[in-house]
Amino acid sequence: METIIQILNDNYIGKEVKIHGWVYRVRSSSKLCFIVMRDHSGVIQTVGRMEDFNGDDFKNLANLTIESSLEISGTLNKDERAITGYELRIKSFKIFQRNENFPITKDQGEEFLLDNRHLWIRSREFNAILKIRSTIFKAFSEFFFKKGYYEVHPPMMVSTATEGGSTLFKVPFFGETAFLTQSSQFYLETFIFSLEKVFTVSPSFRAEKSRTWRHLTEYWHAEGEVAWIGNEEMMDIEEAMIKYIIKEVLEQNKEELTLLNRDISALEKSLEPFHRMTYTELIKKAQEFGLDLKFGDDLGADEERAIMVHFDKPIFVTHFPEELKTFYHRPDPQNPGYILCHDLLAPEGYGEIIGGGERIWSLDELRSRIQKAGLKEEDYYWYLDLRRYGSIPHSGFGLGLDRLCLWIMKQSNIKDIIAFPRTIRRLRP
RNA sequence: GCCGUUGUAGCUUAGCUGGUAGAGCACUCGGCUGUUAACCGAGCGGUCAUCGGUUCAAAUCCGAUCAACGGCGCCA
């Protein structure tokens, strides 16, 4: 048994091969039928000639429906008329299932395809998306393993919010109420006291009623936490990580990127050094670009997009004013009122994909920030304990892997790069 | 949560200022020896989201309801 990608190759010309897969397209006339077959690896045109078959065999072949499953044996020829340049002349075949008409035909609306996502993921386009996504996830972990990090596994069911928000999913938990995690950052901070350099890839859940092109209710969160380093060094690591992922995708998924019409040279730009600027500098730049942004404003989606059309590489934005960030971020001792943190904005209008920075490591400072934020110390007893016993400087980050996928594949909606998106209005399929 | 748009055949849709529903795809049947989500001929398929109102007459105008989609905020 061969895979399709394997036999799209001159070495197989004239040889007898056997493939299995699904009918991608079928066309027939009275004495000739074309069945384009697909498997996970690609598509190939096969041709059935009436003279090659006995009895009803030709008819059975010509009457196959899209997505029927079968096994085909035949000889391979080169043929420019065929979709992928080679053609298999069918000698024999075995049908596993001739199915009813496949629900997805041409001219489908987005919503219909979402309702039928369980079937649509078979499409060539989605197949390419899933392959690139797989590379992105793999490369993320690979990068950190190569740097000596440990992968850790924080809980998804938690008792408190990370950021004190009200956007948590409640889950009954043996008489108590548990929440689905929004971020594993606090747990990662516990791990560094054992392992020093850790990362995790796990889902995060946000019950926010977002309806935008870049929000999911359940999304894949890649987080890292590193002992003994500060904001600058954290950014260096993230920059190397993003470049590593892009390089891997460029190496392993050229074909898929082409199938998606991704402009590869635009992506290659991000292998050059990223821009870095402070929040204050960014606001100034934005004002130069003619944007109505005042100091103290958070960057909205429109602003991010308007700013990012001026850059072709990612930008780290650092030193946000204290009021714009949550309590655990460490204020800059050199710049009172500013935070040692960073957001990474992706180019081509994609905006924020990473949030990270240095964490407060002094117990007193953390307690006062918790108080200021109006939160209860009891809820954070174990987080505070980390500052009681051998506290150290450390930094971390959270990367929205789906957002990274969105940008790398240059799709227009985050739902397009995950097989089964969960949003405020979609729980199925 | 706020703002906006849309709802016509299985799917994609046309239908202007009211006159009683049209197409493409899919499907069924027939034809075709080189097709590229082929082509040609015929057929099947619609309580125009729901409820109510205006009118001689409503897919079309008005109101309500429901559903979906898009944008913002929140963030990754």
Side-chain angles (χ1 to χ4, degrees), chain A residues 357-373:
Chain A
E358 219 165 311
R359 321 302 192 190
I360 293 175
W361 57 286
S362 134
L363 180 63
D364 291 342
E365 201 175 354
L366 186 60
R367 288 172 87 170
S368 85
R369 294 267 296 174
I370 286 176
Q371 265 175 16
K372 239 199 231 169

Side-chain angles (χ1 to χ4, degrees), chain A residues 304-317:
Chain A
E304 267 185 20
R305 217 168 308 153
I307 291 165
M308 290 313 288
V309 298
H310 297 277
F311 298 93
D312 53 7
K313 290 175 284 197
I315 307 181
F316 279 111
V317 184

Side-chain angles (χ1 to χ4, degrees), chain A residues 163-353:
Chain A
E163 325 212 341
S166 55
T167 56
L168 291 152
F169 281 102
K170 287 183 188 164
V171 183
F173 194 84
F174 309 116
E176 276 190 81
T177 299
F179 303 101
L180 296 180
T181 183
Q182 288 185 306
S183 160
S184 297
Q185 180 199 319
F186 286 8
Y187 286 97
L188 289 205
E189 288 187 55
T190 70
F191 283 112
I192 60 164
F193 291 86
S194 174
L195 300 167
E196 301 193 27
K197 301 199 284 187
V198 300
F199 75 92
T200 189
V201 176
S202 53
S204 279
F205 306 87
R206 304 260 163 123
E208 289 144 358
K209 295 182 172 173
S210 304
R211 343 176 9 89
T212 79
W213 59 281
R214 60 173 184 170
H215 284 85
L216 288 169
T217 295
E218 175 187 278
Y219 69 97
W220 285 86
H221 210 168
E223 292 169 281
E225 202 70 30
V226 193
W228 315 109
I229 70 165
N231 196 41
E232 291 294 317
E233 214 177 331
M234 191 70 250
M235 287 190 280
D236 293 342
I237 293 166
E238 289 165 27
E239 181 168 341
M241 175 265 289
I242 296 287
K243 286 175 178 165
Y244 181 82
I245 294 172
I246 290 174
K247 232 188 282 169
E248 287 298 302
V249 170
L250 287 171
E251 246 166 60
Q252 294 175 35
N253 299 106
K254 270 245 155 75
E255 251 175 70
E256 286 77 21
L257 290 169
T258 308
L259 200 140
L260 296 176
N261 292 318
R262 179 56 163 118
D263 178 355
I264 286 170
S265 62
L267 204 51
E268 281 169 342
K269 281 259 160 55
S270 294
L271 297 174
E272 296 165 16
F274 294 0
H275 302 286
R276 291 188 191 188
M277 61 183 76
T278 64
Y279 166 87
T280 313
E281 287 167 342
L282 185 79
I283 294 292
K284 239 183 257 160
K285 266 253 157 67
Q287 287 167 347
E288 282 167 29
F289 296 148
L291 283 154
D292 182 28
L293 260 184
K294 293 183 300 293
F295 183 88
D297 288 347
D298 212 344
L299 299 181
D302 293 339
E303 287 84 33
E304 267 185 20
R305 217 168 308 153
I307 291 165
M308 290 313 288
V309 298
H310 297 277
F311 298 93
D312 53 7
K313 290 175 284 197
I315 307 181
F316 279 111
V317 184
T318 65
H319 298 84
F320 280 73
E322 210 174 294
E323 314 79 67
L324 292 182
K325 292 285 173 184
T326 37
F327 70 89
Y328 52 77
H329 283 103
R330 182 165 180 240
D332 187 350
Q334 257 86 61
N335 285 300
Y338 295 90
I339 297 284
L340 289 167
C341 67
H342 59 267
D343 281 2
L344 182 67
L345 307 184
E348 300 179 82
Y350 282 90
E352 186 174 359
I353 57 172

Side-chain angles (χ1 to χ4, degrees), chain A residues 26 81 95 112 115 134 180 243 265 278-279 318 378 406:
Chain A
V26 58
R81 293 168 296 187
I95 295 172
F112 182 86
D115 287 339
S134 173
L180 296 180
K243 286 175 178 165
S265 62
T278 64
Y279 166 87
T318 65
E378 311 89 273
L406 185 59

